[in-house]
Amino acid sequence: MLLKKMVNRWQSSHTHCQWQMTLSQRRDPYAALRMQDAMQQELALSNKQLLLVRQAALHQLFEKEHQQYQLELNQLGKAFYEERL
């Protein structure tokens, strides 16, 4: 859900930037460069956010699999070795 909102926000921002670029190219050539820079910064931030979301999902998957393996080993009367400090 959060990823979908982020993608929708990026798409609307991208559309708005393209629309602004066509208007501003006629008025101010530097405005297009500023808009392009803003788009690049937003894309970099969205890539970082997407990476964090994917890492969190992968971490949850590993935790779920670890718990499943523990349950299966417990049913066989075995367990993981855990060093306690």
Side-chain angles (χ1 to χ4, degrees), residues 51-66:
L51 179 64
L52 291 175
V53 168
R54 291 175 66 193
Q55 285 176 339
L58 188 59
H59 180 72
Q60 284 181 344
L61 177 64
F62 286 151
E63 283 294 319
K64 183 179 177 182
E65 286 182 353
H66 181 74

Side-chain angles (χ1 to χ4, degrees), residues 6-65:
M6 185 174 58
V7 169
N8 287 339
R9 186 173 56 226
W10 181 84
Q11 286 176 338
S12 66
S13 176
H14 179 61
T15 303
H16 179 73
C17 286
Q18 286 183 330
W19 180 72
Q20 285 291 332
M21 282 174 45
T22 58
L23 290 176
S24 62
Q25 282 175 349
R26 289 181 232 133
R27 290 181 286 164
D28 183 10
Y30 293 108
L33 293 174
R34 287 191 300 270
M35 193 65 68
Q36 188 176 14
D37 185 49
M39 283 180 13
Q40 288 175 349
Q41 288 177 357
E42 187 168 337
L43 185 60
L45 289 175
S46 67
N47 283 339
K48 285 182 183 178
Q49 196 71 4
L50 182 60
L51 179 64
L52 291 175
V53 168
R54 291 175 66 193
Q55 285 176 339
L58 188 59
H59 180 72
Q60 284 181 344
L61 177 64
F62 286 151
E63 283 294 319
K64 183 179 177 182
E65 286 182 353

